[in-house]
Every structure is written in structure tokens, then in C-alpha cells.
Amino acid sequence: MAIEGTRALATALPQIIADPSSNPARSLALYGAWLCGTCLGSVGMSIHHKLCHTLGGSFNVPHAETHTAVLPHAISYNANETPEAMIKLAEALPESNGNAIHGLNVLLRKLQVKRGLKDYGMKEDIDKAAEIAISNSYWNPRELEKEPIRELIRRVWAGEPARADL
């Protein structure tokens, strides 16, 4: 369901940007949102969720925009621990060229979203954000390490594309 939902959203959302009145694209997006929402309601959360709530709650940045900006970076943080999921995700993302992180970067570029939390008013308090993020244990495929988490937050704050070198 997650892969099918991702594929549907990744296909529909750029079409909606190009033609906001497209009923087929909106129907496909609704289908994708339903699939992904169903998945979200039946799984545990990991670093993406924790970072978004840390940043939103501590730095008053908007919820949906924060989730969008953090997503490719959180996935890149866990990429080496989740190779099968990365392959499936790459297959679901148009223009991924076999690389899920690249595919997410392409998708966000197509959606024309702001990717830097500085654009939403977050001050450059990267160290504080990293301290908060690692202060409580939280399930994640990869152990939470302060310096890589700090770099992840710095990249999200600056609006840089995700890279698989954390």
C-alpha cells in the first residue's frame, strides 16, 4: 500500500501543479493519500516524525511544510539500514533513475516547494535542534547520532537537496 500510494502521489502531484483543475490527477492524489494515510495509521514512527515534531514544536515552523522539507533527508539518514525499502521507493518515484533520494529531490523540485526551514522563519539554532532531537530515545532503523542528525537539520534549515552521505 505504501509503495502504491507513493507512486500515485508522485505521479498526481506534479500534474496538479501543472493543471490544478485536473480531475483525474486529483482523483489519483486522493487515492494515494488514502493509501498512505492508511499505512501511516498502522505503523510506528521513526526519525522523520520525531524531527518534524521537534522542529515544529520547538521552533514554531509549519507542520506540513516541515514534513515535506525533512522527508528526503530523514530517508537519506536511514538509507543504508533500509536497502530493500530504498529500492522499492526508487521504483515508485518517477525519474528516480534507481535512486530514491534523487527521485525525492526531483519530485520536490517539480512541486516547487520551499525546502529550507529558514524560509519558514526558523532561526539558525541547529545545535539546539539536534540536542532536542536526540534527547529521548526513539525507534529508528539507524541509531540516532548527534553529528549526523545535526548535519541533517542544517541541510533542512538551509534548504539543500538531500544526499546519501550522512
Side-chain angles (χ1 to χ4, degrees):
M1 289 176 77
I3 295 302
E4 176 68 14
T6 299
R7 182 178 290 109
L9 286 169
T11 300
L13 293 176
Q15 292 174 11
I16 292 170
I17 295 296
D19 179 8
S21 64
S22 170
N23 284 332
R26 289 181 166 281
S27 293
L28 185 58
L30 183 58
Y31 171 67
W34 171 74
L35 288 169
C36 290
T38 300
C39 291
L40 186 65
S42 61
V43 299
M45 301 295 127
S46 63
I47 188 69
H48 177 248
H49 187 76
K50 179 175 181 128
L51 287 176
C52 291
H53 285 266
T54 293
L55 295 166
S58 301
F59 300 95
N60 197 32
V61 289
H63 185 81
E65 291 86 345
T66 300
H67 277 267
T68 300
V70 170
L71 181 63
H73 297 279
I75 288 173
S76 71
Y77 184 84
N78 288 327
N80 289 335
E81 300 296 323
T82 57
E84 291 178 20
M86 295 300 290
I87 291 167
K88 290 178 182 178
L89 181 58
E91 291 170 354
L93 293 168
E95 299 179 55
S96 71
N97 299 328
N99 181 316
I101 297 165
H102 173 74
L104 286 168
N105 285 327
V106 168
L107 177 60
L108 293 181
R109 193 168 43 252
K110 285 182 176 182
L111 298 180
Q112 304 167 25
V113 296
K114 293 179 187 173
R115 297 185 61 181
L117 294 184
K118 66 181 180 181
D119 297 323
Y120 297 107
M122 181 179 166
K123 303 292 182 214
E124 191 176 3
D125 204 349
I126 310 302
D127 290 323
K128 179 180 177 183
E131 286 294 331
I132 295 168
I134 64 163
S135 65
N136 295 313
S137 63
Y138 205 82
W139 180 88
N140 194 62
R142 175 182 168 187
E143 181 181 340
L144 300 184
E145 302 170 64
K146 183 178 180 181
E147 286 309 310
I149 292 294
R150 184 196 181 289
E151 177 59 14
L152 184 160
I153 293 169
R154 187 203 63 74
R155 291 175 185 182
V156 174
W157 178 84
E160 296 176 10
R163 299 189 315 265
D165 62 352
L166 292 170

